[in-house]
Amino acid sequence: MKNVLIIGSTGQIGSELTMKLRGIYNGNIVAGYIPGAEPKGELKESGPAAIVDITNPQQIAEAVSQYNIDTIYNLAALLSAVAEMKPQLAWKIGVDGLFNVLEVAREKHCAVFTPSSIGSFGDSTPKDKTPQDTIREPRTIYGVTKVSGELLSNYYHIRFGVDTRSVRFPGLISYVTPPGGGTTDYAVDIYYSAVKGEAFECPIAAGTFMDMMYMPDGLRAAIEIMEANPDKLVHRNSFNIASMSFDPEIIYHNIQKYVPGFQMKYKVDPLRQAIADSWPNSLDDTCAREEWGWRPEFDLDAMTQDMLSKLGIRLKA
Ligand code: SER
């Protein structure tokens, strides 16, 4: 049995991960949320929920005690482009918030998962097949909080024995909860335009490659890393994971295979483009494959077929 607290349960990852965890574990799977972002529908009906603002250590501690939590999924974050507009808030949530989570975890013996990102790398990192252990010098506040989070999580593991684990997520693509303020979001928005029969205006330039992943693979990674045998883990915070890398032209032409009339034109957003240019083209995920058996299931074509069909059903409902 596992008792899990998901902080940020109504966000892009949290809304799906919470439901998936409820389908796997019998214990308390608690949807942590902040006022204004309450769980709704199935997420609300299917299990307990608690107000847990990551900037409030007392609220984290109370939820952990009340529900006898042994694992915390810390999913509170601002995505990269919006974080550039609010750097102090990005730090407060990403680093001060993580500190709060780790302190509660240390006192109450919880395991902690905190996502990192392709955004933890910067211009000085090798761009292609970016190695697991390499230079991490991001120039975005998003990346700065991600690298700080990785270091802090490793510190709590080494110094206090807290079971911290993490993956560096690529851009996550899903038909359920839309992301907000990310650099990779165009690869979600493009499917919405295709399904609605609208032309898509792409904010990222042709030739800009980034790692992407279909949400079902991302959710599986978040669960499998926490289930992994700790004796086999050489790394912890944080593992490169990968499944596909493409630029806007490649995803556009892939969608056109199934939606022949679909049109895309470019209107590059300088902020997002600068961020994308500083990120790797593709990550090498050998360590995740070797240390805990990571394997993606979806490639671009399989994702496109599933996205178009599921989003089609959803937008008609
Ligand atoms: N999806 C994130 C973003 O674009 C990157 O991990 O900000």
Side-chain angles (χ1 to χ4, degrees), residues 162-179:
V162 178
D163 187 359
T164 55
R165 307 180 188 192
S166 170
V167 296
R168 293 179 182 134
F169 278 130
L172 289 170
I173 295 165
S174 153
Y175 58 88
V176 182
T177 305

Side-chain angles (χ1 to χ4, degrees), residues 260-278:
F262 180 50
Q263 292 298 314
M264 179 175 89
K265 56 183 190 242
Y266 289 95
K267 190 176 178 205
V268 172
D269 169 17
L271 171 65
R272 283 182 168 79
Q273 186 61 42
I275 295 173
D277 285 340
S278 76

Side-chain angles (χ1 to χ4, degrees), residues 32 34 37-38 49 55-56 72 84 93 111 154 184 215 226 240 254:
I34 51 171
E38 288 81 5
T55 64
N56 184 331
I72 301 172
E84 285 306 308
I93 294 171
N154 275 341
T184 57
M215 187 63 93
M226 296 312 283
N240 284 2
N254 188 254

Side-chain angles (χ1 to χ4, degrees), residues 204-238:
I204 299 292
T208 310
F209 280 78
M210 287 184 277
D211 258 320
M212 303 280 180
M213 182 173 287
Y214 199 30
M215 187 63 93
D217 276 336
L219 300 178
R220 212 166 34 75
I223 293 166
E224 286 178 9
I225 178 72
M226 296 312 283
E227 294 275 357
N229 177 353
D231 300 340
K232 300 244 166 74
L233 299 182
V234 179
H235 298 85
R236 276 179 170 268
N237 303 284
S238 181

Side-chain angles (χ1 to χ4, degrees), residues 115-243:
S116 186
S117 160
I118 52 174
S120 62
F121 298 112
D123 279 323
S124 51
T125 304
K127 290 255 180 242
D128 295 303
K129 290 274 162 205
T130 302
Q132 170 68 39
D133 300 311
T134 186
I135 304 162
R136 286 172 297 164
E137 288 183 333
R139 294 283 189 267
T140 60
I141 188 67
Y142 180 71
V144 169
T145 65
K146 291 300 181 193
V147 173
S148 306
E150 290 187 9
L151 296 173
L152 199 55
S153 297
N154 275 341
Y155 174 76
Y156 265 72
H157 174 63
I158 295 160
R159 177 82 168 80
F160 302 117
V162 178
D163 187 359
T164 55
R165 307 180 188 192
S166 170
V167 296
R168 293 179 182 134
F169 278 130
L172 289 170
I173 295 165
S174 153
Y175 58 88
V176 182
T177 305
T183 301
T184 57
D185 294 4
Y186 89 87
V188 179
D189 299 338
I190 192 170
Y191 286 108
Y192 277 82
S193 295
V195 169
K196 287 181 187 161
E198 294 168 357
F200 180 62
E201 214 169 63
C202 187
I204 299 292
T208 310
F209 280 78
M210 287 184 277
D211 258 320
M212 303 280 180
M213 182 173 287
Y214 199 30
M215 187 63 93
D217 276 336
L219 300 178
R220 212 166 34 75
I223 293 166
E224 286 178 9
I225 178 72
M226 296 312 283
E227 294 275 357
N229 177 353
D231 300 340
K232 300 244 166 74
L233 299 182
V234 179
H235 298 85
R236 276 179 170 268
N237 303 284
S238 181
F239 281 95
N240 284 2
I241 55 169
S243 60

